[in-house]
Amino acid sequence: MRWLVGWSSTAARALGAETAGATGYDGETLRPVGSHLLWGDPDPLWAVGDWRPDEVRVVHADAENRIAVLGICGASDEELRRGLFTARGGALRHLTAWPGSYTAVVQAGRRITVCGDLAGARPVFHAPWEGGTAYATAALPLADLTEANLDFGHLAALLAAPEVPAALRDTTPYEGVRRVAPGHALVLRAGARDIVGYEPVASLAVAAPPADPDRAVDAVRDALVEAVRVRLAAPRHVPGLDPGPVPGMGPAERRAARGMPVPGIGADLSGGPASGTLALLAAGLPGRPGTLLGHGTGAGERLLAVTFNDLAVGGREAELERAGALAANPRLHHVVVTGAEDTLPYADLDGPLTDEPGPSLVTAARHRARLAAGSADHFTGHGARQVLDAHPARLADLLLDRQRRHLVRPVAALTRADGSVLVPARVYGAARRLSRTPYRTGLEALAERLMRRRFDEPKGAVGASLAALTWARPGPAARWLTGEALAEVSVLLQTGADRAAGGPGQRPGEFRARTVLARHAADLRVLEQAAEVRSQRLHAPFLDNQVVRACRDLPEALRVKPGARAAVLRTVLEGAGVTELPPGWGTPSHASSAAAARTGLRLAADSLVDLFDTPLLADAGLVEARVVRKAVREAAAGEPLPLDGLADLVSLELWLGRLLARRGTCWTGTPARARAVPAGIAPQRGALRAGARPS
């Protein structure tokens, strides 16, 4: 893990150039383990972890005004200096408008500003400490610092309504540690904190002016090309030296076995449009996008394209064929990683402790097998679907904007998929109801559903679209929660409904799309930590601020067309000079991932039943063990249960076990007991009540 941490205290102390930090136990200085001090007292800031030298930049205007940028940022030092002066006047949005993926921290006197990103892939957390406020880009260090216990209310909401901000609020799994919402910044003034939004809020009273589709797609192309270019312009890094040969293994096999990536730049090449677009852009841009001379292939210009071929589950033959056709590009060096039953979901549940829980914990080993054959800098297409595709609730946005004619094509596509002549009336009726439903009513309806345990939803593509045409819906794991846990989440939703009389300030489709994006970005962050390969950096350009902004400006009429994502990315490639794409490029395919999850669950059913023999989730009052064991057996037998809900339960149980088995702490100057959840989980009734109080 890599993170930054600091605090803002109420009283100024003498500035320390060599040391910084509060006085801990026995007079020892309190500071993060393995940290590098960026600036000292009275409001110190540290970078922790294996940051590369070019990923940490600090620009000073004078002794009391400076800016730190951590991550990949395309701004020059002069641009950072100008941004610092502008931020002193209170303007923050420009700090998030440089290409790349980074966290910016500005110190202007005793005022500290920490900017989060738009997607939520680089979050900011804060907690009260010593009369002031501590902040970090990871929640666990703050939980260690404050010896925080688990927030059972947050864990219940994470299972019952993971895409409903009114249920999750700004909480984290650790009691007292808060999250800054995407699109917001944390501002600290001598210990006092404030959360401010830096994105303009569109009016709901007047429809937005019609956007030109061609200009909007051009903006997406420019943002995406610049996001790739800024990563290609960064210095290349060579992982640690290969310690020597192993009998029967070649260089690539040795690197993979030892968890060492290939030097240079690479990309996923699954055959889908997102990864293919990034691979072709990175390989085609001027410069030296591939491996370093003298390493790998020795070509010096070829980009390593990695394709995962699951031999245990079929159904991806067409995608693999398209990946092979794309890899015929002479600028690509194609590597196919094969996976058997040992790379299926649930096959290998051992892994490191992540900052937060996430459903990707059950597939981390599967991703690690692919990434181990990747490069030191590896592009992934994560986030493309969430920023480019139209959430079904956007049909209600079209009705609000009086653009009914644009419903014809998506409804016609659903009709063809279902084959029923009743589909248009059903979809139009659901979209019309949502467009006329206040946000508060939507939250109250969800609270009622949870209280009455109504989780049945229509099946098929049409059913999924109809279920998504609502302000809020239960999570897939909600059906297995205890009545007490559901009641606590229902109370949170009722409280949120009372506070949200004016609504979220967005149309229902736009609001739902942003919550889905935040959920995906948070899980991608968990995946990066769980499947981390030493000396490797994963790059997800679709989640960069400027790319997210450009995608949000796409007109609704363009976005809701069937195949819109593939069409936009095809236009992006054409604008970058790539015109020849294999037949069927952009065809969606989700069946193989669902089949892999079901097969992995079936093969791992016995170990999962053992995992829930005496689960920590039951000790926390969230589930009953026998209910979950029964669900695992039924799903393994082929019952049509929501597999993503079981993934949520398994991943949270795994995360709790790793957290409680952890030793040590993120800080020096504290005894071994000074860490998160010092007392563990005590089996008790009413465990949720303390953690579920509205904040």
Side-chain angles (χ1 to χ4, degrees), residues 345-491:
Y346 305 99
D348 182 4
L349 296 181
D350 292 331
L353 172 65
T354 57
D355 191 42
E356 297 181 277
S360 61
L361 289 180
V362 302
T363 59
R366 183 178 180 86
H367 290 280
R368 194 182 304 115
R370 181 188 82 253
L371 296 173
S375 296
D377 289 277
H378 198 77
F379 286 95
T380 69
H382 286 286
R385 180 178 293 110
Q386 286 72 26
V387 298
L388 288 172
D389 284 10
H391 191 280
R394 288 190 182 271
L395 299 179
D397 294 0
L398 292 174
L399 293 181
L400 287 171
D401 292 339
R402 301 183 181 276
Q403 299 184 39
R404 294 180 179 85
R405 67 184 184 278
H406 295 300
L407 271 68
V408 173
R409 295 184 66 175
V411 171
L414 289 173
T415 303
R416 288 192 298 270
D418 187 84
S420 172
V421 296
L422 300 178
V423 169
R426 294 171 63 194
V427 174
Y428 180 81
R432 189 167 179 266
R433 283 193 300 273
L434 177 58
S435 67
R436 298 184 174 189
T437 301
Y439 177 62
R440 176 174 181 171
T441 303
L443 292 182
E444 292 173 344
L446 176 58
E448 181 71 12
R449 286 188 64 180
L450 295 180
M451 285 292 293
R452 298 185 178 276
R453 305 186 70 92
R454 297 202 307 265
F455 304 118
D456 294 332
E457 293 180 344
K459 307 298 182 182
V462 175
S465 297
L466 292 175
L469 281 165
T470 178
W471 278 105
R473 59 185 295 192
R479 65 187 65 222
W480 295 301
L481 295 187
T482 62
E484 181 189 11
L486 293 175
E488 295 287 353
V489 178
S490 179
V491 170

Side-chain angles (χ1 to χ4, degrees), residues 28-51:
E28 185 180 358
T29 301
L30 182 63
R31 62 173 58 223
V33 175
S35 62
H36 169 66
L37 183 65
L38 299 183
W39 59 63
D41 289 331
D43 302 314
L45 176 66
W46 292 273
V48 185
D50 59 336
W51 292 96

Side-chain angles (χ1 to χ4, degrees), residues 503-652:
Q506 300 167 41
R507 289 172 168 77
E510 181 185 1
F511 174 74
R512 288 297 308 277
R514 296 194 181 201
T515 59
V516 170
L517 174 61
R519 168 74 164 162
H520 175 79
D523 190 47
L524 176 61
R525 179 170 173 265
V526 172
L527 176 63
E528 287 178 343
Q529 298 167 10
E532 184 177 20
V533 176
R534 186 177 180 183
S535 301
Q536 186 180 69
R537 296 290 187 271
L538 295 185
H539 301 284
F542 285 102
L543 298 181
D544 287 6
N545 284 341
Q546 288 300 79
V547 178
V548 171
R549 286 190 177 104
C551 292
R552 285 179 177 175
D553 289 339
L554 290 172
E556 300 284 354
L558 170 64
R559 194 189 293 271
V560 299
K561 291 179 180 178
R565 171 162 42 105
V568 169
L569 294 179
R570 184 185 295 270
T571 305
V572 167
L573 288 175
E574 289 175 352
V578 180
T579 56
E580 296 183 2
L581 297 173
W585 186 83
T587 303
S589 175
H590 308 292
S592 61
S593 58
R598 187 168 294 280
T599 303
L601 181 65
R602 176 173 55 81
L603 295 176
D606 292 340
S607 62
L608 294 179
V609 169
D610 293 340
L611 178 67
F612 285 96
D613 185 25
T614 54
L616 297 170
L617 288 174
D619 292 343
L622 298 176
V623 302
E624 293 185 14
R626 61 175 182 83
V627 173
V628 180
R629 291 196 298 267
K630 179 182 177 183
V632 170
R633 294 190 185 99
E634 290 177 346
E639 293 292 327
L641 296 176
L643 299 184
D644 45 356
L646 288 175
D648 288 343
L649 289 175
V650 173
S651 60
L652 184 52

